[in-house]
């Protein structure tokens, strides 16, 4: 099913339910003897949008219950309310723009969604977490209790806040190998932070060095753009915070569900 707007997609869904044909709508069924396995993938920061979760809070009691539990647990680590922040009306003034609030908020949304899906009978055979999503994955896998996961994500976001203004990140349309070639001469200031796909890479490091690299790429008509963060996540610049972060995880064991990290 394809569409250019939410209204068009909803119209196509209604047509499908009525057994009607529509442009861009097709359906079929293929039986397979192979039992397919399901994986929950929890992403990092950048997946958010203003107003996320509001309709689920209004319409899904299971989702709201988890958000309320997270809200109570998070109040131990800050002067803000998760429930209040989800109802902010001014995107420019919202505290969800602050890294030590958006990261715990994203964690809460992720675990609430996972709990909602499980209430519908959708169970994963494994979970995968990237960046802050590792904390949600650890909770869903059963390796962390909710209180422990909240403690980890809140302290993690505070660590990131310490480095605000000291780094930057950029998405570039390059393979890992091409990105390595671009970084030649700048390896001490910029590094590869994330490989999202065969030609999708994220660079992280010194803002000035990163800007110079993007200028070169733009001259070559290679897609690139700065990511809206003020930290150099997943780069050597965060190394000094790593020992503190590792201590937050000390003593925890694997849960009943397989849990995988995207780090190598």
């Amino acid at each position: 099913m394809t569409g250019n707007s939410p209204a068009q997609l909803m119209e196509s869904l209604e047509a499908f339910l009525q057994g009607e044909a529509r442009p861009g709508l097709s359906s079929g069924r293929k039986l397979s003897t192979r039992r397919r396995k399901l994986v929950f993938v929890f992403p990092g920061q950048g997946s958010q949008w203003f107003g996320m979760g509001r309709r689920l809070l209004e319409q899904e009691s299971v989702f709201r219950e988890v958000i309320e539990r997270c809200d109570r647990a998070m109040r131990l680590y800050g002067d803000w309310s998760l429930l209040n922040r989800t109802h902010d009306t001014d995107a420019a003034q919202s505290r969800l723009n602050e890294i030590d609030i958006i990261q715990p908020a994203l964690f809460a949304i992720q675990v609430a969604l996972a709990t909602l899906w499980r209430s519908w009978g959708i169970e994963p055979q494994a979970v995968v977490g990237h960046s802050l999503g590792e904390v949600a994955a650890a909770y869903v896998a059963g390796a962390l209790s909710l209180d422990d996961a909240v403690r980890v994500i809140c302290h993690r976001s505070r660590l990131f806040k310490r480095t605000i203004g000291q780094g930057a990140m950029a998405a570039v349309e390059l393979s890992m190998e091409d990105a390595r070639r671009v970084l030649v001469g700048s390896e001490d200031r910029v590094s590869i932070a994330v490989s999202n796909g065969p030609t999708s890479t994220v660079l992280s490091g010194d803002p000035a060095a990163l800007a110079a690299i993007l200028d070169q790429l733009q001259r070559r008509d290679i897609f690139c753009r700065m990511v809206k963060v003020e930290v150099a996540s997943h780069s050597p610049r965060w190394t000094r915070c790593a020992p503190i972060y590792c201590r937050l995880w000390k003593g925890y064991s694997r849960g009943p569900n397989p849990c995988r990290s995207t780090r190598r």
Side-chain angles (χ1 to χ4, degrees):
M1 183 179 69
T2 61
N4 296 322
S5 67
Q8 191 176 57
L9 291 172
M10 291 177 65
E11 182 182 347
S12 294
L13 284 174
E14 290 291 343
F16 170 74
L17 293 174
Q18 298 299 323
E20 301 173 359
R22 284 287 190 282
L25 174 64
S26 64
S27 63
R29 185 178 183 186
K30 181 179 180 181
L31 298 177
S32 174
T33 57
R34 183 165 63 93
R35 182 174 178 270
R36 296 185 180 275
K37 295 181 179 181
L38 180 67
V39 177
F40 284 177
V41 181
F42 299 93
Q45 188 175 344
S47 57
Q48 70 271 12
W49 68 92
F50 189 69
M52 62 181 181
R54 287 182 185 175
R55 186 172 297 181
L56 289 171
L57 278 168
E58 296 170 358
Q59 299 179 356
E60 298 290 348
S61 60
V62 171
F63 183 90
R64 183 177 182 84
E65 180 185 354
V66 176
I67 295 296
E68 289 174 344
R69 288 177 60 201
C70 289
D71 178 61
R72 291 192 294 271
M74 288 175 182
R75 291 189 187 219
L76 296 175
Y77 304 100
D79 60 350
W80 58 280
S81 164
L82 174 63
L83 279 171
N84 289 345
R85 295 288 69 79
T86 58
H87 289 92
D88 284 347
T89 57
D90 187 336
Q93 298 298 320
S94 173
R95 291 192 66 189
L96 285 173
N97 296 317
E98 300 172 24
I99 197 167
D100 57 332
I101 292 181
I102 188 56
Q103 288 195 359
L106 284 170
F107 160 83
I109 294 289
Q110 290 175 355
V111 300
L113 278 172
T115 304
L116 178 61
W117 293 335
R118 281 177 153 172
S119 74
W120 294 342
I122 303 172
E123 283 289 341
Q125 278 67 55
V127 295
V128 176
H130 166 64
S131 192
L132 73 86
E134 290 182 311
V135 186
Y139 166 72
V140 173
L144 296 178
S145 68
L146 184 64
D147 286 342
D148 286 334
V150 165
R151 184 177 70 87
V152 170
I153 194 62
C154 287
H155 282 299
R156 180 188 191 276
S157 63
R158 286 179 176 180
L159 288 174
F160 270 93
K161 191 170 185 177
R162 293 183 187 180
T163 67
I164 284 181
Q166 301 176 26
M169 302 180 74
V172 298
E173 193 174 9
L174 294 172
S175 66
M176 286 275 285
E177 288 303 316
D178 288 339
R180 290 191 181 101
R181 284 191 282 269
V182 166
L183 294 183
V184 172
S186 304
E187 299 93 334
D188 59 333
R189 292 172 294 165
V190 180
S191 61
I192 295 174
V194 183
S195 174
N196 287 324
T199 58
S200 178
T201 304
V202 178
L203 306 179
S204 180
D206 177 75
L210 199 52
I213 291 172
L214 263 59
D215 182 62
Q216 295 175 21
L217 294 177
Q218 288 168 351
R219 293 174 187 272
R220 294 164 52 189
D221 289 327
I222 295 175
F223 170 81
C224 57
R225 64 175 176 82
M226 299 296 289
V227 179
K228 292 182 179 180
V229 295
E230 296 180 82
V231 296
S233 302
H234 312 295
S235 79
R237 284 176 167 256
W238 208 69
T239 303
R240 62 181 178 273
C241 295
I244 303 173
Y245 185 53
C246 288
R247 285 199 295 272
L248 291 175
W249 290 88
K250 189 175 181 180
Y252 298 127
S253 59
R254 294 179 61 181
N257 290 322
C259 181
R260 299 288 183 265
S261 168
T262 55
R263 291 182 296 169
R264 290 196 292 176

